[in-house]
Amino acid sequence: MIHVDDVACGGTKEWFDAVARPLRERFPFGSWEEKAGKYCGRRLEQRPDETITVSLKESVDKMQMIPIPRFRLTQLQEECTPQEIKQLRSVLGSANWVATQGRPDLSFLTSYLQGAMPKPRVEHLKLANHLVRKARQFADTLIQIRPIPVTCTKFLLFTDAAWGNTVKGGSQGAYVITVVD
């Protein structure tokens, strides 16, 4: 995987000797970790059974609730202040990263709240705090990538869509492609 100037790779000893070792000799790497390490806000670990786990807990832990004064909770249909919008953008940026990197359970609410921009209301701040709570509730959940012999792989596609379910009445669709045995 490559993201800007960050690289995560894996393979057999033979692959390491043929590919990774020459890369390390040719290019300078700021750090090089094996079997476990951080990569772009994720914690990756390869277990003895070759399963790779991915944790997003560190990124979720950085998500901040938006302080909403009690009197604002009586003004749910009022537009947000510039400061509230700034805080909402921060939550949505973090939530979008976490959702796209391995927490699809956060995708709908993140997308829904993004649709409220550029004129969100106080009710959207309240929903953003619900989103942060939901992210934290399952922050310890790990994605497990189990080794599958290439000869046994199959691709499985999941799709879903909803009509008229966004803030502005638009529709949404999504898909996930997985590799299974």
Side-chain angles (χ1 to χ4, degrees), residues 38-161:
K38 286 175 32 178
Y39 175 74
C40 294
R42 306 174 200 99
R43 176 91 182 135
L44 304 172
E45 179 181 342
Q46 186 172 26
R47 296 183 172 168
D49 70 352
E50 302 298 314
T51 296
I52 297 171
T53 61
V54 182
S55 170
L56 294 159
K57 183 175 179 8
E58 188 174 312
S59 294
V60 169
D61 288 346
K62 291 179 182 175
M63 294 174 70
Q64 299 293 312
M65 300 280 282
I66 301 171
I68 307 172
R70 186 177 298 271
F71 78 93
R72 287 294 273 160
L73 293 173
T74 65
Q75 304 170 336
L76 294 179
Q77 297 305 309
E78 295 293 318
E79 285 189 11
C80 292
T81 67
Q83 179 61 28
E84 290 169 335
I85 293 172
K86 182 178 176 182
Q87 292 171 310
L88 181 58
R89 284 187 193 281
S90 177
V91 168
L92 294 179
S94 297
N96 189 62
W97 173 258
V98 171
T100 60
Q101 299 307 304
R103 288 288 305 275
D105 59 310
L106 305 178
S107 295
F108 172 75
L109 191 50
T110 300
S111 176
Y112 180 81
L113 289 169
Q114 288 170 333
M117 297 306 226
K119 294 186 179 278
R121 297 184 303 269
V122 175
E123 68 179 320
H124 299 117
L125 300 178
K126 198 172 165 188
L127 278 173
N129 284 342
H130 173 74
L131 175 62
V132 173
R133 282 190 297 276
K134 183 176 179 181
R136 289 178 179 170
Q137 181 181 4
F138 299 105
D140 292 322
T141 300
L142 298 175
I143 298 168
Q144 295 188 32
I145 304 167
R146 299 186 190 278
I148 302 172
V150 174
T151 57
C152 297
T153 60
K154 296 176 189 78
F155 291 92
L156 184 59
L157 171 68
F158 296 92
T159 65
D160 195 14

Side-chain angles (χ1 to χ4, degrees), residues 156-178:
L156 184 59
L157 171 68
F158 296 92
T159 65
D160 195 14
W163 183 262
N165 67 331
T166 68
V167 173
K168 296 174 184 156
S171 300
Q172 286 185 316
Y175 64 90
V176 176
I177 301 171
T178 60

